[in-house]
Structures are given as structure tokens and as C-alpha cells.
Amino acid sequence: MAFAFTFPGQGSQSIGMGKDLAEAFPNARHIFEEVDDALRQKLSHLMWEGPIEDLSLTTNTQPALMASSIAAMTVLAKDFGIDVAEAKYAAGHSLGEYSALCAAGVINLRDTAKLLRIRGDAMQNAVPVGKGAMAALLGASVEDAEAAAAAGAKHGICQIANDNATGQIVLSGETDAVQAACDAATEMGVKKAMMLNVSAPFHCDIMSPAADAMRGALADVTFNTPSVPIINNVQAMPVTDPEQLKNDLIAQVTGRVRWRESIEWMAANGIETFAEPGTGKVLTAMLKRIVKDIKGVALNSPESLEAFAKEIKG
């Protein structure tokens, strides 16, 4: 069975994430402890006890989701004998790309945790509260979304931030521009255009200060060749060159998350099953809107990891 690992991004967090893995597997517990130590923060306590308002702060959400994903991957490898290299590809949605790179041995765990803390802080601080916004266009084609974004751009920065799935596209930019884009989309007959409750306008040019911060943060971090090709957000096709992977993480901060294209590319190149390690099942649910009759499985509990390992081993 040809499969790929896909790592979740913001929006998948929940109180208790990863706790059952930590309680059942010392190898998972060690991952959470190492992340806590790298960040000099009891992030695991926040993940398991809350409050959700603090966990949902970008500075905490990003390393927390990565820790949960890497804990699941570590259990899969050390407790069930399924290594990341047995997958054909790995990919991650936005911050999930860091999880994919860590799982594939490109960046070590401590560096990944520190980079995501810097990324979360930089993205949150790139724009004053209220200056930026994001909106979801439901039932819109990419062409519809581009036309709406162009209408919004007459009022300020407005771009496609996430091409998540067929009929599910997210715009990002200055508040007035994004609102104008929503109005234009409604006039075009798009099924639904709704402003989102987010802390900052991610993946658009307003995030340029955060991209600069990541350029500096990444400069001295060692990147290794991945043990499995990475389908990254910028290229939406396999990348194995460490320097390109690093440069694309910088471009990703202001660039479009090409998730639909990434999934379509992998499905067209032999992937039969997409496995989502970590918490929640946002990416697994999204699959049904991208490729028909494709299998997705969320690896977010001891039972799901064991079942997946048994299936892979046959």
C-alpha cells in the first residue's frame, strides 16, 4: 500500500492533545519533555490542562501541534516498527510542514520547536490587531477566488492564503480589502463568503516582517536531506534539496498554501492512503473534497496507531 504522511496545521489543537500517547508510551512522553525543555516552558501541561485560550495563541499552538505529531511518529517508529521512510511522501499544512521536516530528519526536534516559537511570535507581531483579516470562500473555484481577491486588492492587500480543497479557499490581507473581496465574491454568486475569527492575516504580504524573522532564524539551522520526499506548500511537488526546503519555509510565510494541489499531485502519483499523525482529523476530512475514493486515516490515539501499523505490515 502506497501511503503519505500529512501533518496538520493551526485549527487542529484541542485540550488533551497527545496526553493519551504520553500516558501509554514512554517514547511519546520523552518527545513532550524534550519540547518543554527546548522552549523552557511546560507546554505539555498547557496542551493537556488548558486553558484553550492560551493554547490557541499562535506562539503556543505551533510548537504544540508539532510536538503532538512527532510524538505520534515516534511511537509509530519505536513501538510499532513503522518508519517515516516507509511512506512515499510527507507533507504538512502550513506549520505542519515543520512537523514533516522534523519527522523526515531534516531538522532536529529542539530546533523545530524553537523555530516554531519564533515563527508564531513573528506572525502574531507582524501586524497590529485589527489591521488584518482572513475570510473563507466556500463553493468558490480558484478563478472565483482570484477575481474576488483582485477586487479586494483595490482597497489594500488581499491574496489567496490557502487553497485548501475544492470549493474551500481562504483569503488574507488588510481588513477593508478582505471585506471588499467577500462582497465581490457574494455578488459573483459564491455560495458563502465569511470573515474568520483569526489572530492575524497569515500567508499574505502583510507577513513580510515575519518572513524576514524566519530568514534570520533559519540561517544557522542545519538542514539535512529528507528520508522521504517533502511535498511542500510552495512547490506542491517533491522537494529533497535541503537548501530549497529552507528557502521555501521563508517564502511560505507570505505565500499561498497549495494544499489541494499537493494532495492531487500525490494521488496522481500513486498514493492510496493519507495518514494524518498528531491531533484531530482536519486534513483527513478535507481529503473527501479534493480526491474522490481516496483513503484517509487520522493517527491521533494509541488504538489508531496500532491499527495503522498492523495494516502496513499486512
Side-chain angles (χ1 to χ4, degrees):
M1 177 181 70
F3 68 95
F5 287 116
T6 55
F7 295 85
Q10 271 183 245
S12 293
Q13 69 273 12
S14 62
I15 298 302
M17 56 191 285
K19 187 175 183 180
D20 53 352
L21 293 183
E23 290 175 345
F25 303 102
N27 286 314
R29 189 160 60 250
H30 175 72
I31 295 298
F32 293 115
E33 289 170 351
E34 189 169 350
V35 170
D36 286 351
D37 185 62
L39 298 179
R40 298 181 180 180
Q41 174 196 8
K42 270 289 184 181
L43 183 63
S44 59
H45 184 269
L46 176 60
M47 292 165 65
W48 300 337
E49 305 298 333
I52 188 63
E53 293 80 9
D54 289 349
L55 179 60
S56 294
L57 293 173
T58 302
T59 187
N60 293 321
T61 305
Q62 297 202 21
L65 284 166
M66 181 277 298
S68 189
S69 288
I70 298 305
M73 290 297 294
T74 301
V75 169
L76 203 56
K78 294 187 176 180
D79 293 276
F80 295 115
I82 303 296
D83 189 77
V84 63
E86 295 185 44
K88 195 171 181 182
Y89 305 109
H93 189 281
S94 191
L95 82 88
E97 190 167 297
Y98 284 78
S99 305
L101 293 170
C102 183
V106 178
I107 321 173
N108 69 45
L109 178 62
R110 296 182 72 86
D111 283 342
T112 306
K114 291 176 182 177
L115 286 169
L116 284 173
R117 172 54 52 81
I118 293 168
R119 184 178 185 266
D121 286 342
M123 293 175 84
Q124 188 62 62
N125 296 330
V127 56
V129 174
K131 181 176 171 57
M134 300 182 78
L137 303 184
L138 304 181
S141 66
V142 173
E143 291 74 22
D144 290 336
E146 287 176 340
K154 295 176 183 177
H155 303 269
I157 293 171
C158 185
Q159 298 163 238
I160 294 178
N162 301 65
D163 179 4
N164 283 332
T166 306
Q168 189 184 117
I169 299 174
V170 177
L171 303 182
S172 184
E174 294 177 286
T175 303
D176 289 347
V178 174
Q179 184 61 67
C182 285
D183 294 341
T186 300
E187 290 174 11
M188 282 181 228
V190 167
K191 182 179 178 181
K192 191 170 187 179
M194 53 186 283
M195 300 292 279
L196 299 175
N197 182 20
V198 295
S199 58
F202 304 127
H203 298 291
C204 73
D205 287 344
I206 298 178
M207 287 287 113
S208 292
D212 292 340
M214 292 315 299
R215 183 177 291 107
L218 287 160
D220 296 325
V221 176
T222 298
F223 272 48
N224 304 306
T225 301
S227 55
V228 57
I230 305 296
I231 312 297
N232 77 3
N233 292 180
V234 170
Q235 306 296 332
M237 61 178 60
V239 179
T240 56
D241 177 66
E243 200 61 30
Q244 184 175 358
L245 287 167
K246 181 182 287 192
N247 289 334
D248 284 349
L249 284 181
I250 300 166
Q252 185 219 63
V253 176
T254 56
R256 183 183 306 186
V257 175
R258 298 170 63 188
W259 192 252
R260 174 187 57 82
E261 294 175 80
S262 298
I263 296 297
E264 288 177 343
W265 192 95
M266 287 186 275
N269 285 272
I271 296 302
E272 301 166 311
T273 297
F274 289 88
E276 180 180 4
T279 187
K281 52 182 179 181
V282 171
L283 301 182
T284 301
M286 216 181 278
L287 278 175
K288 300 172 185 177
R289 301 182 63 91
I290 304 174
V291 181
K292 290 183 179 179
D293 303 321
I294 201 79
K295 182 179 179 182
V297 57
L299 305 181
N300 53 19
S301 67
E303 296 78 17
S304 60
L305 288 167
E306 183 176 10
F308 180 70
K310 286 180 178 178
E311 185 177 4
I312 296 301
K313 291 177 178 179

